[in-house]
Amino acid sequence: MSGRMMNKFRSALSAMLLLSLMSGCNPASSDNAEAEAPLAGAKIGGSFTLTNQDGGKSSDTDFDGKYRIIYFGFTYCPDVCPIDLANLMNGLTLAEKEDPALVEKIQPIFISIDPERDGPEQLKQYTDNFHPRLIGLTGTVDEIAAVAKKYLIIYNKRESPGFSEYLVDHSRQGYLFGPQGEPIALLPFDGTPQQVADEIKRWTR
């Protein structure tokens, strides 16, 4: 993604996050303000039913009772997505080693914003490279657009004249959601795996 396009996406996402937080937050007392989750009350997330990497259907309700790490990207991404996803999943692996109970408490999810190319088989090959429990989800163009809107993800197909291949510019967010699907925090996908692990453990205790 070009620097100008990345700045545009970041500015737009920051504005949406701010509006979401302002519209959804409740005043916190001084006693618990320090422990308040960064995204508590934000209008991010929502229901979905998409096609998983095995060709079946997966809904948000399938993950009730579990924390969810959600990242939007696409399997043909040449650099950004695999680096971000590797950091997130290596961080999750570290967190699980340090606290084995997390294996049963957290579900990692990868949602494709390139449904035209990312079918179930492609997703399965891709997600298997990052974490054994990572679920890949895709859908129709309209289904993905609806889910991306709920999760404040901006994306744009970037085609070049004379070329059949294309890239997809998209906002980058590593979300942590709670057991009821409530937004908790943004994970430092551009940090070290240990930083990711520390944030995961902090908010899932």
Side-chain angles (χ1 to χ4, degrees), residues 17-97:
L17 283 172
L18 179 60
L19 288 172
S20 180
L21 287 166
M22 290 174 64
S23 65
C25 64
N26 294 313
S29 69
S30 58
D31 292 333
N32 64 9
E34 214 174 341
E36 187 77 11
L39 297 183
K43 303 299 184 182
I44 306 172
S47 62
F48 62 78
T49 296
L50 297 171
T51 302
N52 60 44
Q53 76 278 359
D54 296 318
K57 294 293 184 180
S58 291
S59 300
D60 58 296
T61 53
D62 295 338
F63 312 115
D64 284 352
K66 289 192 175 186
Y67 291 87
R68 308 123 200 223
I69 295 173
I70 299 182
Y71 182 87
F72 286 76
F74 64 111
T75 68
Y76 287 84
C77 181
D79 44 27
V80 172
C81 297
I83 292 174
D84 291 351
L85 204 53
N87 281 342
L88 288 170
M89 294 302 98
N90 287 338
L92 175 59
T93 298
L94 275 176
E96 291 171 337
K97 287 181 179 178

Side-chain angles (χ1 to χ4, degrees), residues 94-182:
L94 275 176
E96 291 171 337
K97 287 181 179 178
E98 295 166 3
D99 183 358
L102 293 179
V103 173
E104 300 298 327
K105 293 172 61 177
I106 301 176
Q107 177 60 60
I109 301 169
F110 174 79
I111 300 179
S112 173
I113 42 80
D114 185 17
E116 295 174 70
R117 294 184 295 189
D118 286 343
E121 184 176 348
Q122 179 71 16
L123 279 177
K124 187 172 183 62
Q125 293 175 357
Y126 190 75
T127 55
D128 283 350
N129 292 317
F130 297 98
H131 193 281
R133 293 190 295 102
L134 178 62
I135 290 177
L137 298 178
T138 187
T140 66
V141 171
D142 289 342
E143 287 171 342
I144 294 301
V147 173
K149 183 177 181 180
K150 291 179 181 180
Y151 286 78
L152 303 187
I153 298 297
I154 303 170
Y155 62 99
N156 180 60
K157 185 177 178 181
R158 176 157 51 94
E159 298 178 282
S160 299
F163 292 90
S164 59
E165 295 299 316
Y166 59 87
L167 294 177
V168 183
D169 295 326
H170 62 93
S171 48
R172 299 161 62 193
Q173 299 298 332
Y175 285 123
L176 177 65
F177 289 88
Q180 282 75 53
E182 70 277 17

